[in-house]
Amino acid sequence: MIIPDFQDMLQAHERIKPHIHCTPVITSSYFNELIGAKLFFKCENFQKAGAFKVRGASNAVFGLDDTLAGHGVATHSSGNHALSLSYAAGRRGIPCHVVMPRTAPKAKKAAVRGYGGIITECEPSTTSREEVFAQVQGKTGAEFVHPYNDPRVIAGQATCSQEFLKQTDGVDIMIAPIGGGGMVSGTCLTLSRIAPEIQIIAAEPEQADDAARSFKAGNIIADDAPQTIADGLKVPLKELTWHFVRNHVTDILTASEQEIIDAMKLTWARMKIIIEPSCAVPLAIILKNKDRFAGKRIGIIITGGNVDLDELPWLKSSTTN
């Protein structure tokens, strides 16, 4: 297992600078007063391709030598990594093959195709995803860029926290959503080196809480096909991301489907920015645990804003809960 380090993050940042935005950090007096804390939102929903995952995808794609790049890249993803890898591959002029669940949001599938990605659909389970991907990679010979269990990807995601620290005067706590753990691992990589005093808390849906259960058990517990509106957080931890989680994460807190929807709606209404359900989980856990976070300076990574406007979660919440 290759574990990326701080130098890998620095190299990644130089490599991907031409292909990403340095996204803004914004505040909200409404949320500060509501929670009794100071919140700082790192807005990766304004990132290229609409999500933080373009950082890791770009680092992987532009780090390939010409021989490997000539075969293209391939991955499996429910959405944001798929469209981010398609974006990066398009910038380099190489093919991108993507295995996506048939239930993935239409907006994300459209974005993948818009960036030139070639989609093969699978059933909405980890088992089906990996089986279909093996077939696609066998046919294409493309370089596998895992959505999160890849040192190149984690080093790229780690650049987000480095930017955040340069944009603020520091925080007590950093919170990011967790599915497979790529962003959380990148956050751990950077903060453990340059700001080890900052607590790192991961936020997860109750209906896809395998990371929280893994954290308590001390070993990876993987669910095959959890059901949650937070479509980007359905995948389990893997060996590499588990290394960072078990060594550097302070706690993993969960929120219900309704709490996620409420946080998402409140963000849209009060901050006037579009975030997807997965990004609402950190705010949901803060609202759920106000006493724990009162009086703190809190960094929140808003991981993406790719929403299917025809399938908003509050329009179908009655069938989800």
Side-chain angles (χ1 to χ4, degrees):
M1 182 172 65
I2 300 173
I3 300 173
D5 59 20
F6 190 73
Q7 190 62 34
D8 293 320
M9 183 277 292
L10 294 176
Q11 292 173 354
H13 210 200
E14 288 304 310
R15 181 179 293 126
I16 69 178
K17 272 183 180 179
H19 311 291
I20 68 165
H21 291 311
C22 178
T23 53
V25 173
I26 65 175
T27 59
S28 166
S29 58
Y30 171 79
F31 282 122
N32 287 350
E33 293 173 8
L34 180 64
I35 296 160
K38 292 186 177 180
L39 276 55
F40 301 86
F41 297 86
K42 176 66 167 164
C43 292
E44 289 291 287
N45 53 325
F46 298 147
Q47 186 54 267
K48 295 280 189 178
F52 79 94
K53 285 180 178 284
V54 81
R55 296 175 181 269
S58 295
N59 189 44
V61 166
F62 288 96
L64 294 175
D65 62 41
D66 290 341
T67 300
L68 284 175
H71 296 287
V73 290
T75 196
H76 50 73
S77 166
S78 61
N80 282 339
H81 178 67
L83 60 91
S84 295
L85 193 65
S86 299
Y87 161 83
R91 296 270 293 200
R92 186 158 181 183
I94 63 176
C96 180
H97 303 274
V98 180
V99 173
M100 297 185 75
R102 59 175 176 76
T103 54
K106 293 178 183 177
K108 292 182 179 180
K109 289 181 181 178
V112 169
R113 293 189 177 102
Y115 288 125
I118 303 161
I119 297 175
T120 301
E121 293 194 350
C122 65
E123 291 303 308
S125 71
T126 299
T127 300
S128 176
R129 179 187 297 214
E130 294 179 350
E131 287 177 353
V132 174
F133 175 78
Q135 296 170 9
V136 170
Q137 189 185 29
K139 291 178 182 178
T140 63
E143 172 74 6
F144 181 26
V145 181
H146 194 281
Y148 51 92
N149 198 52
D150 186 312
R152 302 166 298 185
V153 169
I154 290 174
Q157 319 307 26
T159 63
C160 183
S161 293
Q162 184 201 34
E163 285 181 5
F164 178 87
L165 290 180
K166 290 180 178 179
Q167 293 170 300
T168 64
D169 293 327
V171 292
D172 303 304
I173 299 167
M174 198 75 170
I175 305 178
I178 189 166
M183 173 52 79
V184 168
S185 294
T187 304
C188 292
L189 188 161
T190 296
L191 298 188
S192 65
R193 172 65 180 270
I194 57 178
E197 71 282 1
I198 297 176
Q199 293 183 22
I200 300 168
I201 294 178
E204 191 173 37
E206 285 180 2
Q207 292 185 192
D209 67 343
D210 51 294
R213 287 183 283 121
S214 300
F215 190 70
K216 292 176 181 177
N219 56 268
I220 296 176
I221 297 171
D223 291 337
D224 191 50
Q227 297 298 312
T228 173
I229 57 169
D231 61 278
L233 307 181
K234 293 181 178 182
V235 292
L237 295 167
K238 295 288 188 181
E239 183 183 21
L240 185 53
T241 52
W242 173 240
H243 162 81
F244 286 100
V245 169
R246 65 184 173 85
N247 283 301
H248 300 293
V249 168
T250 302
D251 203 356
I252 300 179
L253 303 177
T254 63
S256 70
E257 299 292 283
Q258 190 59 53
E259 288 164 345
I260 295 168
I261 291 171
D262 290 345
M264 183 178 173
K265 289 176 69 175
L266 204 53
T267 302
W268 282 40
R270 291 292 180 167
M271 296 180 69
K272 313 304 180 188
I273 60 174
I274 294 177
I275 67 170
E276 56 191 88
S278 299
C279 312
V281 187
L283 182 59
I285 68 160
I286 293 172
L287 292 169
K288 185 177 183 177
N289 301 277
K290 289 181 185 178
D291 290 345
R292 177 166 181 170
F293 296 105
K296 304 292 186 182
R297 291 171 58 87
I298 306 166
I300 300 172
I301 300 176
I302 296 180
T303 47
N306 294 311
V307 179
D308 188 338
L309 296 177
D310 294 323
E311 296 287 338
L312 295 175
W314 48 83
L315 301 180
K316 57 181 180 178
S317 60
S318 59
T319 61
T320 304
N321 291 312

